[in-house]
Amino acid sequence: MKLATWNVNSLTVRISQVEDWIKKSQPDLLLLQETKQENIKFPHETISALGYHAIHNGQKTYNGVAIISKYELFDIQNNIPDFEDEQKRLIAATINTDYGKIRIVCVYVPNGQSVDSEKYHYKLDWLKHFTLWLKNEMVSFPEIIIAGDFNITPQDIDCHDPEAWKNNILVSPKEREAFQKIIDLGLSDNFRVINPSEIQYSWWDYRMAGFRRNLGMRIDHILTSKNITDKTTNSIIDKEPRKSERPSDHTPVIIEF
């Protein structure tokens, strides 16, 4: 089985890139973030023509998450329960496979703007509520995959210049502590388990020739429960879509298990 996550930074702009990537890569599951479109605008016909099911939790202009799957999707959950939030940042569903049920969670964690802003406090609060919900979710679904744009570099190795970014968003101690609390629920950062010393990034700023100069960060992650981690045969970052004309600033992260 192949699962990928990709912050597309506007599905309206990049639907042809997504379509081409699906045809080329043939993932069983593709989780999208920052679709930036309302549910009524989601291209269900295009996705269906490729042989996939899809669910979407979106809003106009900002945020938005989707799960595209060769499997039917059940037990759908939009947003974090008991957490008042107009922003569409989470969608979850269950798939039935020959090996049993797997819970799939697609997340777009808030960016945080800056460590002295209200948006940073919102990010930490969102992560706290997400972790509490996820803890309960894992009781019901021991086989689980959480994937998406976390807007956090777990370690210095995941940032092109950790000293320059020190105490800024994406690398701040409080964000990394929140990420570790998610891991401590019994999950693994799949890419780092398979590639313990590999220096690769999933996001590059559009400014300052960030991609050409490889001024990137690994902020898109796939977290897996133990059985899935143990069965993982490959965990990679596909840089090719970032080379496209008018690309997203993120690129797909993929696991095979």
Side-chain angles (χ1 to χ4, degrees):
M1 183 179 291
K2 180 189 289 188
L3 178 145
T5 181
W6 188 5
N7 178 323
V8 292
N9 193 11
S10 177
L11 188 56
T12 301
V13 173
R14 297 184 177 87
I15 182 58
S16 62
Q17 293 182 30
V18 171
E19 190 176 1
D20 290 344
W21 191 85
I22 289 174
K23 289 176 180 177
K24 176 184 174 184
S25 300
Q26 290 294 306
D28 296 284
L29 291 138
L30 174 59
L31 283 58
L32 303 179
Q33 303 86 45
E34 274 203 281
T35 57
K36 296 184 178 180
Q37 58 185 206
E38 297 170 295
N39 288 340
I40 196 170
K41 297 287 184 68
F42 188 83
H44 282 285
E45 289 186 4
T46 300
I47 301 302
S48 181
L50 294 170
Y52 289 80
H53 305 275
I55 54 174
H56 181 241
N57 181 23
Q59 64 188 91
K60 187 177 181 179
T61 309
Y62 301 102
N63 308 316
V65 282
I67 299 175
I68 296 170
S69 171
K70 287 185 177 178
Y71 298 86
E72 287 192 60
L73 298 157
F74 304 97
D75 305 324
I76 297 165
Q77 171 70 49
N78 291 326
N79 306 325
I80 303 170
D82 304 318
F83 178 59
E84 287 191 26
D85 187 12
E86 295 180 355
Q87 299 189 31
K88 308 302 184 183
R89 295 186 172 276
L90 182 146
I91 192 166
T94 303
I95 60 171
N96 290 322
T97 75
D98 293 340
Y99 307 100
K101 292 182 178 180
I102 302 177
R103 189 66 165 164
I104 308 296
V105 182
C106 177
V107 296
Y108 175 47
V109 175
N111 174 272
Q113 192 177 55
S114 65
V115 294
D116 57 354
S117 71
E118 285 298 317
K119 290 183 178 180
Y120 182 73
H121 295 295
Y122 162 64
K123 178 177 190 173
L124 296 177
D125 195 38
W126 192 96
L127 284 163
K128 183 177 97 173
H129 283 86
F130 172 66
T131 305
L132 289 171
W133 170 76
L134 190 57
K135 182 179 180 179
N136 292 325
E137 199 77 352
M138 290 176 65
V139 173
S140 302
F141 302 99
E143 305 296 341
I144 191 166
I145 300 173
I146 304 96
D149 177 1
F150 281 76
N151 272 311
I152 300 171
T153 59
Q155 305 173 52
D156 282 354
I157 193 176
D158 302 310
C159 175
H160 70 93
D161 190 345
E163 190 59 34
W165 279 81
K166 190 174 181 179
N167 295 322
N168 285 310
I169 58 160
L170 311 184
V171 305
S172 75
K174 287 184 178 179
E175 290 167 281
R176 288 181 171 178
E177 181 182 337
F179 186 86
Q180 187 60 46
K181 285 182 178 178
I182 297 171
I183 296 294
D184 290 344
L185 295 175
L187 298 164
S188 295
D189 175 354
N190 202 288
F191 179 85
R192 193 50 72 204
V193 170
I194 303 299
N195 309 282
S197 59
E198 192 81 18
I199 297 176
Q200 289 197 41
Y201 308 126
S202 63
W203 170 84
W204 300 261
D205 201 322
Y206 287 127
R207 298 167 295 183
M208 299 172 62
F211 182 66
R212 181 175 58 80
R213 298 168 64 200
N214 201 28
L215 306 180
M217 294 196 185
R218 191 177 70 92
I219 58 176
D220 302 88
H221 308 298
I222 301 175
L223 311 184
T224 50
S225 53
K226 186 177 186 306
N227 284 343
I228 295 171
T229 304
D230 291 346
K231 292 180 173 69
T232 300
T233 57
N234 203 13
S235 186
I236 64 171
I237 297 173
D238 180 5
K239 293 171 66 174
E240 287 303 312
R242 188 61 174 82
K243 301 173 185 177
S244 303
E245 187 176 347
R246 296 187 70 200
S248 169
D249 45 355
H250 298 250
T251 207
V253 179
I254 307 160
I255 64 167
E256 295 179 88
F257 62 97

